[in-house]
Amino acid sequence: MSVICLGEILYDLIADQSDRAMEQVTSWTTYAGGAPANVACGLRKLGINSAFIGCVGKDQPGEQLIALLDALGVDTTGVQYHATLPTRQVYVTRDAGGDRHFAGFGGRKTTDFADTALNADLLPENLFKNADYLVMGTLGLAYSPARAAMMRALELAKIYAVKVLIDINWRPVFWPNLEVAPDQIRDFIVQADLLKCSEEEAAWLFGTDTPREISSQYPNLEAILVTRGAKGCKYHLGENSGTVEAFSGEVVDTTGAGDGFVAGFLARAALEGDQIGENADLARKAVIYACAVGAMVTRGAGAIASQPTREQVEEFLAALDS
């Protein structure tokens, strides 16, 4: 299986001191991040072919991030470089429980970064010919050039029968105009095949966090995954609905946990295909696997650095069964 992940790649500057306001943090540690890039890396660690499409600056941070993707075996032929806009960096504070809060862009406006300028005309059509899934968030919808590129990606996905998974990944700090966001995101979801969101995002956009009720609003969706943090996940896959409890354990940093979840779910989809939606047991096992990957990401710092390999996930699950 092959998965295209389109969107932002950036550096998370994560506060070393938890439970402090941004101005009270005295030091930060830099980690590679950006939800679509996180998913691409998570998939490679789980043994799945992935490609990343996004735009970075012609600067050292951009070069370092793409070098990281290359080192993990992610296909980077779809990466674009902007001549003047820099690679994005976002400051992230953490509360006492490890949950993250996006605190801004170091004095820059959200529109002043290369990822906003992804060019629709430069998307590599060849990647779509061999892909099975296209993964996108919604942050790019906030910026006209990136939004046009995302719409072009949807067109290519339809041409080549590529299934589309959308992770809402709601981050208000990224949006210059918050008022237009809900309608743009809902229109985007109409064109998807699979949806992943948090329970807070579901309640905000759909008025319910129950996957079956969301399915009645969006009959185009064959899979709906509503993550609930420490409470696990609710799902509706085909005609199979259920709840999976979260895995207990010490939480160091929740950054990238949802992206690990997406990578884990698609890794199971690679094995089971459409049977995930047709077989209740396989559906539940796919969500358990996804929850396991997400949980393992929270045990270390950084979204990519803490991602597990396929072997590590299998050992984690086997230890629970023994």
Side-chain angles (χ1 to χ4, degrees):
M1 192 178 78
S2 181
V3 180
I4 299 170
C5 301
L6 184 151
E8 66 280 359
I9 186 170
L10 49 80
Y11 272 118
D12 288 317
L13 278 68
I14 299 178
D16 293 328
Q17 299 79 35
S18 60
D19 211 19
R20 292 189 186 181
M22 184 174 176
E23 56 273 11
Q24 296 174 318
V25 175
T26 57
S27 61
W28 308 79
T29 299
T30 302
Y31 293 97
N38 294 342
V39 175
C41 293
L43 285 164
R44 286 300 302 132
K45 292 188 179 184
L46 295 171
I48 305 298
N49 291 326
S50 66
F52 175 74
I53 298 175
C55 186
V56 296
K58 284 189 174 181
D59 50 26
Q60 186 176 31
E63 292 175 358
Q64 291 173 335
L65 287 167
I66 303 310
L68 172 63
L69 297 185
D70 287 334
L72 290 172
V74 176
D75 185 328
T76 57
T77 56
V79 172
Q80 303 174 18
Y81 294 86
H82 198 277
T84 57
L85 293 175
T87 303
R88 189 183 295 270
Q89 298 185 74
V90 55
Y91 288 81
V92 183
T93 57
R94 296 178 295 130
D95 64 21
D99 285 330
R100 67 209 183 285
H101 304 276
F102 291 86
F105 307 104
R108 288 183 177 271
K109 294 187 294 184
T110 185
T111 51
D112 292 345
F113 294 97
D115 57 84
T116 68
L118 186 64
N119 189 333
D121 296 333
L122 299 180
L123 298 190
E125 189 167 342
N126 281 340
L127 285 181
F128 290 81
K129 292 180 180 179
N130 300 311
D132 298 282
Y133 288 92
L134 167 65
V135 176
M136 292 190 284
T138 64
L139 299 186
L141 296 175
Y143 318 104
S144 295
R147 183 166 64 250
M150 294 166 74
M151 296 306 165
R152 174 57 179 160
L154 288 175
E155 292 175 1
L156 290 171
K158 285 180 171 57
I159 291 170
Y160 295 106
V162 179
K163 290 187 177 182
V164 178
L165 185 151
I166 291 175
D167 180 357
I168 292 174
N169 195 33
W170 173 239
R171 302 285 181 262
V173 69
F174 281 77
W175 287 77
N177 183 355
L178 291 175
E179 292 182 0
V180 303
D183 286 341
Q184 286 191 1
I185 293 173
R186 292 188 191 103
D187 290 344
F188 195 49
I189 293 169
V190 170
Q191 303 179 72
D193 301 287
L194 306 93
L195 175 73
K196 178 263 179 187
C197 60
S198 70
E199 59 182 344
E200 295 86 2
E201 291 166 341
W204 169 61
L205 274 177
F206 314 123
T208 176
D209 62 7
T210 302
R212 187 177 289 275
E213 293 178 6
I214 297 171
S215 177
S216 68
Q217 296 180 35
Y218 293 87
N220 55 296
L221 296 174
E222 60 189 57
I224 300 168
L225 305 159
V226 179
T227 55
R228 308 167 69 211
K231 295 180 289 184
C233 175
K234 294 190 288 189
Y235 64 90
H236 183 66
L237 304 177
E239 292 302 316
N240 300 302
S241 296
T243 301
V244 170
E245 298 299 317
F247 293 96
S248 60
E250 181 184 359
V251 174
V252 175
D253 176 19
T254 60
T255 304
D259 307 324
F261 177 95
V262 171
F265 180 78
L266 289 177
R268 295 302 300 182
L271 294 176
E272 312 295 352
D274 291 339
Q275 294 182 70
I276 285 180
E278 299 165 0
N279 182 296
D281 184 56
L282 291 178
R284 182 171 180 80
K285 286 181 177 177
V287 179
I288 289 172
Y289 189 92
C291 286
V293 177
M296 294 178 77
V297 170
T298 70
R299 307 294 165 85
I304 295 173
S306 56
Q307 289 171 336
T309 63
R310 180 171 53 190
E311 292 76 18
Q312 288 171 329
V313 180
E314 291 171 354
E315 290 173 5
F316 178 84
L317 290 170
L320 295 173
D321 291 337
S322 61

